[in-house]
Amino acid sequence: MSIPANLKYTKDHEWVSLEGDVATVGITHFAQKELGDIVYVEVETLDQTLEKDEVFGTVEAVKTVSDLFLPLAGEIIEFNDALESTPETVNSDPYGAGWMIKIKVANVADYDTLLSSDAYNDLIGA
């Protein structure tokens, strides 16, 4: 299972990359595999400022709907519009074209509190 070392992770199975004060967020390979075929991604929090761990959207798979939790406090500045027509991209490329949102992070230092790839690997028992 792919767990890129250059990303950070949450216990809720989101991945985060950081460039300056903008974080890109998606769900991990493990999460998309557990969910199954993703048919819809909904983010209604665009342009809103949320706290860490608040729900920023939902992902719907064939058999379930799952909340998406914000890994870092900040303003949601972009949604991956391509997911509206091709939500299955989250399954096929979760760490690339399947990204979900971008956040203007309130406190960049919080990035260091997220899980490393090794710690996430231990969490999922991979």
Side-chain angles (χ1 to χ4, degrees), residues 22 30 95 103 107:
V22 175
F30 175 84
Y95 299 114
I103 310 164
N107 184 357

Side-chain angles (χ1 to χ4, degrees), residues 17-107:
S17 69
L18 186 66
E19 291 183 37
D21 65 349
V22 175
T24 302
V25 178
I27 64 170
T28 64
H29 177 78
F30 175 84
Q32 68 79 23
K33 186 177 173 194
E34 291 292 306
L35 287 168
D37 293 335
I38 293 173
V39 296
Y40 189 66
V41 178
E42 181 175 51
V43 174
E44 293 185 348
T45 52
L46 189 62
D47 299 324
Q48 293 182 27
T49 299
L50 302 175
E51 293 300 316
K52 179 181 179 188
D53 297 328
E54 281 193 79
V55 174
F56 72 83
T58 57
V59 61
E60 183 177 340
V62 173
K63 296 181 181 178
T64 188
V65 175
S66 183
D67 287 335
L68 298 165
F69 299 96
L70 200 64
L72 299 166
E75 180 185 359
I76 299 175
I77 59 172
E78 189 175 345
F79 168 65
N80 184 353
D81 292 331
L83 298 181
E84 289 181 350
S85 59
T86 56
E88 65 275 9
T89 305
V90 175
N91 292 114
S92 62
D93 191 11
Y95 299 114
W99 66 273
M100 295 182 172
I101 61 167
K102 293 191 179 190
I103 310 164
K104 183 168 178 37
V105 178
N107 184 357

